[in-house]
Structure formats: C-alpha cells, structure tokens
C-alpha cells in the first residue's frame, strides 16, 4: 500500500538541479555568501515583498539569531503562544529569555486582546506565529508594541509568500523569520531567512551568522555560524522558479478538501481570511472532540495515511518545559490542540487521494 505522508518535498527536475550546481565544480566556492546566496537573497526579497532579508542555515537559527540581534537583557519576558512548533519556544529560551504564553484565537493565531494583560516591567518582546499561514492581527500587535516599547519578531515559518495590504507579511513587526525546510511550501533542503525593514538588522545578523568576522584579522562581535551554503541556495533558486505551480497544485487539493469537509459534520477547517492571498501550506482540520480526532488519526494510519497532530501537545506542556510557565489561561490553545489534525497537503497530491482521505473521515464521523 502506498504510504501518504502529511507532506512531500517539492523538488526541481534532477537534470535542472545538476545543471545548476555544475558551476560550483569550477568555482570551488561552496559557501560563505557566494554568488548564489546573493542571488537568492535578491530574488526572495522581491518574491516575499520585503525591503531586507538575510538567508540562514535553517528557520530555527533564523529565529534564534533574529531574537538575539535585538540584545534583550537576560531574563526578559517574551509574550508568545504555545500553539506552535517547538522551535518557537526553544528560540526564546535559548536566548536566556522567559516565554510567557498567551492564548490564541479560533484561527490559531495569538489573541491580541489578551497580550496587554501579560505585559510586566520585564517584558521585552512579542513573538507571535502566523500559524498554518493564517496571519496574526499585525496592526493591533504593532499598536500594542509601540505603546509598550516592545519589539515584535514574527515566526512566519508557515507564511511564505503571503501578503497583507499589498505588503509582504515579512514587512510587519521588527523582524520575521521564514523556514525553507524540506517540509515547507518553499525549500532550500534546509534553510531559512530573517526579513526586516531596518538595514542595521542586516549588519547585526551578518555578524551573528558568520562569527562576527569582518576582515581577515577582524572579529567585531561574538557570533555563531548560520550561513546558507551554495547547494541550498541553488535548490532555492530552482524551487522558486516553480513556486507558482507548486502553490497552484496545493490550491487544487485544498479546494477539494474544503468542498468535502463542508459536507461532513463535526469537522471544520482552521483558517482566516485576513491576508491578501493563501499559500496552502497546511490543511488543519478541527474535530468536535479529542476522541474523534484520535480515532480518525488512528484509522488513517491503518490505511497508510500519516496525518499529524500539529500542534499537540502544546509547547508549554512538553517535558522540557515541565508546565512551569503555564500560569496564564491558554484554554483556547488547549482546546484546538486536543482536536486538531493536519491532513496531507503537498504539490502533486492526487485528488483521488484527497477523496479517499475524506471518505475515511466521513465513514468514522457518521458511524
Ligand atoms: C519549521 C518551523 C520552524 C523551524 O524551521 P526549521 O527550518 O525547521 O529550523 C520554526 N517555527 C515554525 C512554526 C515552523 O513550522
């Protein structure tokens, strides 16, 4: 039986990639901000509709270094959400900062109405997540941040190519991060980027991603190594050529799911219509209860369909955080987490497969 996973990596034709990497055998220049790194930065700046971008080795380090670039005092508090991939919370904690968990709304994004109740004298930043590509209320968050003198760093790992009021989603806040991991809408095998408006952020990130080296004998600051290499940059250039077709293929499968799910009781899709466009990154469905969600997950698995409980458990409930940070009310996040299931969605997913998945769910729900 063919196994269907929740995602499948978009790849260029083999020959296309091989042709594209050939020049590396002449130049012997495989990393260190080579010409393909620079070219991908330019092309992504345009595609993402942002004024500044810095490519990184992955999305996680993009977030860690983006946070680090603002030089927050250790022990500072960061308002974020627990309904996300563990990377978001880790990036805060690994910067020596304390995550303060804010509840989310029905679309999975941070509940901006609850942010201010969590602000204390120690709060330094807000790290919201455009979860599943559903964008946050960036305008209200901006007002809250200005009023309270806080930085906003968006985890936009799911929001590749999304625009809001004509601007790239990565233009909002003080910085945003994207992930180009193999499982995402757009990939560079592993990779990521930080986007920002302030050109100075570029300089600080450059130092953080390349050991603070500014000359043969000059190190200006303490830095890590988080550069994207040329093989990854070329993978990105190839995949970017095909991005419209990849998203269109996802859209067709997504619409088929939408139509099917509309007819099934006790199941709905988690989404909002805030952004100018969608990238069809994920197909998150919400069941009426946890038991039904778990039964659907198990039955799909028995039939070779590997859905994922994104995001369950909440990051705040993971063993490494021991529930210790859980003082605020995160009941909506908890409710979503217990009932959500992300179904397979990727470029090239067959409509027959979508229908088969819908049939399996339907059979269980009406049972
Ligand atoms: C994928 C992802 C990341 C991490 O990106 P990597 O490229 O895998 O390091 C961070 N946050 C969210 C929400 C993600 O989905």
């Amino acid at each position: 039986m063919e196994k269907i996973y929740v995602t499948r990596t978009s790849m260029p034709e083999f020959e296309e990639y091989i042709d594209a990497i050939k020049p590396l055998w002449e130049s012997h220049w495989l990393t260190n901000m080579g010409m393909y790194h620079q070219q991908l930065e330019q092309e992504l700046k345009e595609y993402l509709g942002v004024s500044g971008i810095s490519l990184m080795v992955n999305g996680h380090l993009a977030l860690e270094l983006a946070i680090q670039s603002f030089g927050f005092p250790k022990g500072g508090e960061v308002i974020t959400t627990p309904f996300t991939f563990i990377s978001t919370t880790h990036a805060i904690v690994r910067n020596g900062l304390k995550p303060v968990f804010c509840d989310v709304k029905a679309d999975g994004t941070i509940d901006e109405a609850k942010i201010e109740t969590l602000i204390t004298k120690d709060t330094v930043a807000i790290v919201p997540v455009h979860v599943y590509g559903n964008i946050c209320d960036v305008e209200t968050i901006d007002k809250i941040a200005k009023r309270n003198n806080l930085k906003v760093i968006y985890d936009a790992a799911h929001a590749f190519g999304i625009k809001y009021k004509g601007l790239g989603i990565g233009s909002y806040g003080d910085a945003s991060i994207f992930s180009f991991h193999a499982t995402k809408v757009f990939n560079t095998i592993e990779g990521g980027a930080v986007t920002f408006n302030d050109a100075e952020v570029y300089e600080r990130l450059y130092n953080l991603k390349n050991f603070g080296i500014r000359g043969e004998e000059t190190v200006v600051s303490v830095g890590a190594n988080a550069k994207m290499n040329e093989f990854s940059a070329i993978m990105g250039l190839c995949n970017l050529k095909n991005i419209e077709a990849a998203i269109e293929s996802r859209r067709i499968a997504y619409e088929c799911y939408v139509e099917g799910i509309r007819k099934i009781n006790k199941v709905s899709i988690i989404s909002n219509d805030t952004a100018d466009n969608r990238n069809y990154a994920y197909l998150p469905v919400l069941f009426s209860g946890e038991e039904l969600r778990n039964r659907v997950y198990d039955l799909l698995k028995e039939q070779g369909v590997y859905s994922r409980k994104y995001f369950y458990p909440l990051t705040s409930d993971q063993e490494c955080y021991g529930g210790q940070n859980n003082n605020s009310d995160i009941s909506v996040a908890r409710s979503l987490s217990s009932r959500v299931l992300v179904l397979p969605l990727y470029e090239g997913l067959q409509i027959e497969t979508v229908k088969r998945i819908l049939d399996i769910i339907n059979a269980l729900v009406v049972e």
Side-chain angles (χ1 to χ4, degrees), residues 65-191:
L65 300 187
I67 294 171
Q68 195 180 353
S69 75
F70 292 102
F72 301 122
K74 291 277 173 260
E77 293 178 2
V78 176
I79 297 171
T80 186
T81 93
F83 189 67
T84 181
F85 182 48
I86 197 70
S87 167
T88 319
T89 308
H90 283 344
I92 295 166
V93 174
R94 283 172 52 81
N95 268 290
L97 302 167
K98 181 177 184 287
V100 173
F101 295 107
C102 183
D103 210 353
V104 298
K105 297 178 291 186
D107 65 6
T109 64
I110 194 164
D111 187 344
E112 64 281 352
K114 293 181 180 158
I115 293 175
E116 272 184 315
T117 64
L118 299 171
I119 294 175
T120 73
K121 64 179 191 343
D122 295 322
T123 308
V124 293
I126 309 171
V127 175
V129 184
H130 300 304
V131 65
Y132 311 129
N134 296 339
I135 64 167
C136 303
D137 182 342
V138 292
E139 282 151 345
T140 303
I141 292 170
D142 187 53
K143 280 188 202 128
I144 293 169
K146 290 225 163 72
R147 201 152 55 217
N148 295 281
N149 198 23
L150 305 175
K151 297 288 184 201
V152 184
I153 302 143
Y154 285 102
D155 183 337
H158 296 181
F160 187 82
I162 298 230
K163 300 262 169 74
Y164 177 62
K165 295 197 171 168
L167 291 177
I169 196 64
S171 309
Y172 293 89
D174 295 282
S176 299
I177 73 93
F178 293 85
S179 164
F180 310 146
H181 186 258
T183 53
K184 305 287 159 86
V185 168
F186 166 80
N187 86 85
T188 59
I189 308 171
E190 290 263 9

